[in-house]
Amino acid sequence: MNLSLMSLEISVVALGLVVLLADLWLPAERRRALGYVAAAALGLLLLQNLSGCCSCCVAGGDGTAFGGMFVQDGLSVFFKRFFLLAGALVLVLAVEFSDRIATGVSEYYSLIIFALAGMLFAASANDFAMLFVSIELITITFYILTSFTRGKVAALEAGVKYLILGALSSAFMVYGIALVWGTTGKFNFNELAQVAGNFTDNKVFLFGVVFILAGLGFKIAAFPFQMWTPDVYQGAPTPTTAFLAVGSKAAGFVLLLRFLFTAIPSVTAHWDKLLIIISGITILYGNLCAIPQRNLKRLLGYSSIAHAGYLLLGVAAMTSAGQSAVLYYLSGYLFTTLAAFTVIALVMRHLDSEDIAGLAGLNQRSPLLAATLTLAMVSLAGIPPLAGFFGKFLLLKAVIEQGAVNHGYYCLAFTALVGVVISLYYYFGVIRAIYWSKDAASREPILISTPMRVAIVGCIAGIFWLGVAPGAVLRLAESAVNALHCPGLALN
Amino acid sequence: MTPLAGYLILSAMLFAIGLAGALTRRNAIIVLIGIELMLNAANLNFIAFWRFSEHPEALTGILFVIFSIGVAAAEAAVGLALIISIYRHYKTTNVDEVNLLKG
């Protein structure tokens, strides 16, 4: 047992408990600032992780704990940094949003931190028990976060819809895990990989795998498990939506990558057609349904389905180039999506709904926010030189390279390009509303607090950095996915 | 029929009944009960596989069931709290009448 590997998770859980307890002693008017303290603490943990003083960053620091359930390797380190950054930015956004939460601001912060802890555990999960418990820690926390503004009917409705569909998908997943475990007798991913090849004809085993994939498909909002996404994105409080879009989706992808390529590589190799079809339909569904949307958060919900489809391109390619492209695309998606939701939270402060018409006159009210939202939309659409373009380029490159093996990959790449063209229409509809709409409801300038300004500028810098100088993150992503393919390291 | 197959058929039936209940009933509480049935079908599977496995001395199957029961309890607690808040607003727990968000 090697507890020092888990120091990051333990610190994050402790931080959540401290925030929860601090609520008891702090006077009500100072609780709001607790979010800044928590965000700063997460930032410090991230810096400590980046500076390499903790053992996990050098190759010798890799290892496993709890009999191989918990694995610390390049992939988990990459995702842990990703989640810490997302958590810190979401907490700053939550402070900005806190005046719209009637009671229990500190609980809101600490629930965000507990969801973050679940994501960190998910990044290290190498065992079905870890996978299930970490995914449920994230999901159950998100049920509460979704309906936290319980005076708002939309938030409650979003919470109930998320709960029913989420519980249904986790029931499928547990049943699937039971079947896979029952046929193979293995919980650990590395041990399962050694025997999975013998079970490729076993129907019970394959049923189990499909049920587990259904549970993970729900997390990443892939077709046909995407029904909840637009409703939950629209109804949930904006910081929750932002965290759901970035953190929950990325946690689903790290588990999906580990499950498909570490646990059952011999089964995955036969399933390229299934992945191609799911990826293609998800891209088209998300982009086509986004076109008529007038609510900005709902539009981003459909766009998030489309982006799950783009990310599945890299999974369907089944090469390490595709997997590193997934990691790279997720990094770009983090900055872009958080920037977009930050602007929504600030601009739509006094409006009941997040209608696109509410953006009218944003250019006069706050040029910084107008520029941020424009950049975010341009990056989501995938126009050079921003992060979204380079990510899509890498994903498509990985898919087309595989085209010689199976011509379906060419069709998939074509579908993705069609999706990109469709998406230009609705993303530019948002930009048009910012700069060229006539009747602005309000003309007063929008005040932006200093931490918020730092977060926004950080997101913009991230979008440009990933688009213009992709080398550093790409190298990180490439070394991270190596961990998927050399499970021998995790066995020692 | 081996005893294991009997248990697996029973659990598959439980799972199907739960799924049918979750998909066809309109009352949110009945839907949650259906989902609980599905989770318990999976737990029954675990116990059956564990009992008839070659190594029943390894407790992994039982362990997972304990995790699964704990998680299901947390889910039910949050779920019932949400349904009560919904009832306060809508005066109903019929999921078809909770339809503000659509498009």
Side-chain angles (χ1 to χ4, degrees):
Chain A
M1 184 132 74
N2 194 346
L3 265 186
S4 65
L5 283 178
M6 290 176 62
S7 53
L8 184 63
E9 285 79 1
I10 295 172
S11 337
V12 169
V13 172
L15 178 67
L17 292 175
V18 166
V19 169
L20 203 54
L21 285 176
D23 179 65
L24 293 176
W25 287 286
L26 275 180
E29 67 276 9
R30 289 175 60 191
R31 282 179 196 153
R32 184 169 179 267
L34 205 57
Y36 287 137
V37 177
L42 290 184
L44 278 179
L45 284 174
L46 179 65
L47 278 182
Q48 192 219 5
N49 197 309
L50 282 177
S51 66
C53 58
C54 70
S55 58
C56 54
C57 306
V58 287
D62 290 355
T64 57
F66 296 101
M69 285 175 97
F70 182 95
V71 60
Q72 181 82 302
D73 54 18
L75 188 71
S76 64
V77 171
F78 182 94
F79 271 98
K80 279 175 193 181
R81 289 172 182 166
F82 176 95
F83 291 135
L84 281 176
L85 181 61
L89 290 173
V90 168
L91 275 172
V92 175
L93 180 56
V95 177
E96 202 56 42
F97 194 84
S98 59
D99 52 344
R100 277 164 277 179
I101 295 171
T103 51
V105 177
S106 322
E107 280 92 338
Y108 191 71
Y109 299 149
S110 62
L111 281 171
I112 289 177
I113 297 172
F114 288 136
L116 173 66
M119 292 168 194
L120 296 177
F121 278 116
S124 280
N126 197 37
D127 180 292
F128 282 123
M130 261 313 258
L131 176 142
F132 172 66
V133 173
S134 58
I135 226 173
E136 289 302 312
L137 178 54
I138 301 170
T139 316
I140 294 181
T141 318
F142 266 110
Y143 298 151
I144 311 172
L145 284 173
T146 301
S147 40
F148 207 85
T149 47
R150 54 178 190 279
K152 280 186 129 184
V153 186
L156 285 177
E157 182 184 334
V160 166
K161 284 184 172 167
Y162 192 34
L163 172 94
I164 290 177
L165 292 172
L168 205 59
S169 82
S170 64
F172 269 101
M173 197 165 68
V174 182
Y175 200 80
I177 293 173
L179 295 182
V180 168
W181 177 74
T183 45
T184 63
K186 306 287 181 200
F187 261 139
N188 188 289
F189 287 174
N190 301 125
E191 291 172 15
L192 182 61
Q194 291 167 354
V195 298
N198 309 332
F199 290 94
T200 43
D201 296 327
N202 186 324
K203 292 232 166 44
V204 178
F205 174 75
L206 293 180
F207 253 110
V209 171
V210 170
F211 280 11
I212 295 173
L213 287 180
L216 292 175
F218 171 82
K219 292 303 297 174
I220 62 174
F223 185 87
F225 312 106
Q226 84 299 342
M227 299 84 85
W228 59 278
T229 319
D231 287 346
V232 173
Y233 275 46
Q234 182 184 351
T238 310
T240 307
T241 313
F243 208 28
L244 197 63
V246 174
S248 180
K249 191 185 285 285
F253 267 101
V254 65
L255 290 171
L256 187 69
L257 286 174
R258 262 199 218 281
F259 178 62
L260 284 180
F261 298 110
T262 303
I264 52 161
S266 42
V267 179
T268 312
H270 301 296
W271 283 13
D272 49 348
K273 286 196 187 66
L274 179 76
L275 287 169
I276 288 173
I277 291 170
I278 290 184
S279 167
I281 296 182
T282 310
I283 291 173
L284 288 181
Y285 179 89
N287 281 322
L288 288 173
C289 291
I291 292 175
Q293 300 308 325
R294 299 307 305 158
N295 182 301
L296 197 47
K297 274 161 81 181
R298 198 172 180 85
L299 185 143
L300 283 173
Y302 280 112
S303 127
S304 143
I305 298 175
H307 285 276
Y310 295 136
L311 286 160
L312 281 173
L313 289 177
V315 179
M318 295 206 252
T319 54
S320 50
Q323 289 144 16
S324 59
V326 170
L327 266 57
Y328 186 86
Y329 197 82
L330 275 172
S331 322
Y333 189 67
L334 172 128
F335 291 117
T336 322
T337 312
L338 286 180
F341 281 111
T342 305
V343 175
I344 293 175
L346 287 169
V347 177
M348 311 289 189
R349 175 181 293 273
H350 301 298
L351 302 177
D352 283 336
S353 71
E354 291 87 4
D355 201 84
I356 290 181
L359 291 172
L362 180 60
N363 190 31
Q364 283 91 45
R365 295 173 68 195
S366 168
L368 174 68
L369 291 185
T372 313
L373 191 56
T374 309
L375 277 175
M377 289 301 142
V378 170
S379 173
L380 283 175
I383 290 175
L386 300 177
F389 165 72
F390 202 75
K392 284 198 179 69
F393 172 75
L394 288 173
L395 288 168
L396 282 174
K397 185 163 150 272
V399 167
I400 290 172
E401 275 170 357
Q402 286 294 93
V405 186
N406 177 344
H407 292 299
Y409 284 110
Y410 290 128
C411 302
L412 181 58
F414 178 72
T415 313
L417 282 175
V418 170
V420 170
V421 174
I422 299 172
S423 72
L424 289 177
Y425 173 76
Y426 60 85
Y427 287 132
F428 280 85
V430 175
I431 297 175
R432 198 183 60 194
I434 300 174
Y435 291 98
W436 290 286
S437 47
K438 295 280 185 289
D439 41 323
S442 143
R443 293 230 170 258
E444 56 188 298
I446 298 167
L447 296 173
I448 312 172
S449 66
T450 314
M452 201 71 252
R453 197 177 287 271
V454 172
I456 291 175
V457 172
C459 285
I460 295 180
I463 296 173
F464 272 110
W465 174 53
L466 283 169
V468 177
V473 177
L474 193 56
R475 269 194 299 281
L476 267 180
E478 277 164 0
S479 63
V481 294
N482 279 337
L484 283 172
H485 300 285
C486 50
L489 178 104
L491 273 181
N492 54 28
Chain B
M1 190 165 71
T2 59
L4 176 61
Y7 284 107
L8 293 188
I9 290 170
L10 174 67
S11 100
M13 279 166 59
L14 262 184
F15 190 83
I17 293 169
L19 183 61
L23 294 180
T24 56
R25 293 310 185 98
R26 306 306 354 140
N27 186 315
I29 292 177
I30 308 273
V31 172
L32 274 193
I33 292 174
I35 292 168
E36 275 323 288
L37 266 184
M38 294 167 72
L39 279 169
N40 285 325
N43 291 346
L44 186 64
N45 249 352
F46 267 111
I47 299 289
F49 276 127
W50 166 75
R51 174 67 182 75
F52 296 103
S53 73
E54 291 147 26
H55 309 287
E57 68 279 3
L59 293 177
T60 40
I62 294 273
L63 200 76
F64 197 97
V65 170
I66 291 172
F67 278 128
S68 158
I69 291 173
V71 165
E75 221 157 40
V78 174
L80 289 177
L82 272 176
I83 291 170
I84 289 173
S85 340
I86 279 276
Y87 184 75
R88 282 192 188 141
H89 277 277
Y90 288 91
K91 297 292 168 215
T92 175
T93 53
N94 186 326
V95 283
D96 282 343
E97 288 170 37
V98 184
N99 57 0
L100 195 69
L101 302 169
K102 58 186 165 216

